[in-house]
Amino acid sequence: MYVRPLGILSHGVAGSGIRLAGGSLGFGMVEVIVRDGEGGIRRAAGPVGEVADLPALADWLDALSKPRAPFAGLALDRPAIMGIVNVTPDSFSDGGDFLDHDKAIAQGTALLEAGADILDVGGESTRPGADPVAAEEEIRRVAPVVRHFAERGAVVSIDTRHAAVMAGALEAGAAIINDVTALTGDADSLGVAVQSKAPVVLMHMRGEPRTMQTAPDYVDAPTDVYAYLAGRVAACLAAGVAPGNLCVDPGIGFGKTVEHNLAVLRHTAMYHGMGVPVLIGLSRKRFIASLSRGEEPKDRMAGSLAGALASFDQGAQIVRVHDVAETFQARAIWLALHKA
């Protein structure tokens, strides 16, 4: 069973009902989604008041409503902006632009000045069809950049699926592990997360980068993704990761068609049912161009902003973006409009 908040409004507005993840939004209706063992799916929607006392929904409503603790020291009373620094030659949007350390540092500095709350530094492209990078090379690319910003007090996340890179970046001062494989891509990754006590972003990806876009298939993408991420949250908790150190990302564009991406995004609020922050990363993704005019990645800013604002409207606590200044401005207007 899954519970999806509907009727989301600024909290305090008539009909907003229960506060969503302790934030500025509230919801007055829910959709209950039930899947049986044979792949059948039933959906029913109604006011929260009609289902709030049902024992089967009590835990769901508690998880959907409770405030989220700060993540990596960042209060989540407003959506946080994670700025992307790709120290790679082949990332889909800006591959090669910041492979040089000085250029990567200049880019990260510009993103911080533009309003980024987190810098996400990566040394391996995970775009569709990307080839893997040796851990030693990945560390060589990212460690100087991570160290530079950590020494200046920035909150830095390391975007990697390799345990050795996680450990090296944490030693250099990274505060967050951001893993597209949800700590499954390397047998030692979960141990690094437990031992370091670092906050972790667990992302959903179907397959691996070289093959993930080869005919991806789901029974029901939103609940399939939810079940996977909930399983990874449970595994991390069982291994000793603190609940306040977990965040989930449904992985837009990672092993998903355009329709899968849209379905998952429409169910963003449901992912609050895991009781941890939700990160959405859709900046400049290919599905934006597929729905528009086939624009190149750097011409997809408007679609990226539309997606970010839609994510804010469902309570997403973090958005991962290339265009920080524009997202900061859009967030400022969104925050002003959603004051209680």
Side-chain angles (χ1 to χ4, degrees), residues 233-298:
V233 167
C236 290
L237 294 176
V241 179
N245 278 346
L246 292 173
C247 173
V248 294
D249 174 355
I252 300 303
F254 284 79
K256 299 172 184 70
T257 65
V258 171
E259 288 305 318
H260 294 149
N261 289 325
L262 291 173
V264 168
L265 287 170
R266 293 185 188 111
H267 287 72
T268 296
M270 182 178 72
Y271 297 101
H272 295 296
M274 282 173 262
V276 301
V278 176
L279 183 153
I280 298 294
L282 53 74
S283 179
R284 300 185 183 178
K285 292 286 176 73
R286 184 181 301 174
F287 89 99
I288 295 171
S290 298
L291 292 167
S292 183
R293 298 176 178 175
E295 296 89 347
E296 292 300 311
K298 292 180 182 180

Side-chain angles (χ1 to χ4, degrees), residues 84-170:
I84 300 167
V85 181
N86 288 319
V87 195
T88 61
D90 56 348
S91 290
F92 81 95
S93 176
D94 51 12
D97 288 359
F98 313 115
L99 181 59
D100 176 84
H101 289 151
D102 289 339
K103 290 181 179 179
I105 288 170
Q107 172 67 0
T109 300
L111 296 183
L112 289 172
E113 292 174 350
D117 301 293
I118 304 166
L119 286 183
D120 192 42
V121 179
E124 178 189 45
S125 174
T126 51
R127 62 177 173 78
D131 291 322
V133 174
E136 295 79 7
E137 171 61 14
E138 196 177 342
I139 292 171
R140 187 197 69 77
R141 293 177 182 179
V142 301
V145 181
V146 170
R147 185 175 294 109
H148 174 90
F149 289 110
E151 288 177 349
R152 287 155 180 77
V155 178
V156 181
S157 63
I158 179 63
D159 177 7
T160 185
R161 51 184 173 150
H162 302 118
V165 182
M166 295 174 192
L170 291 170

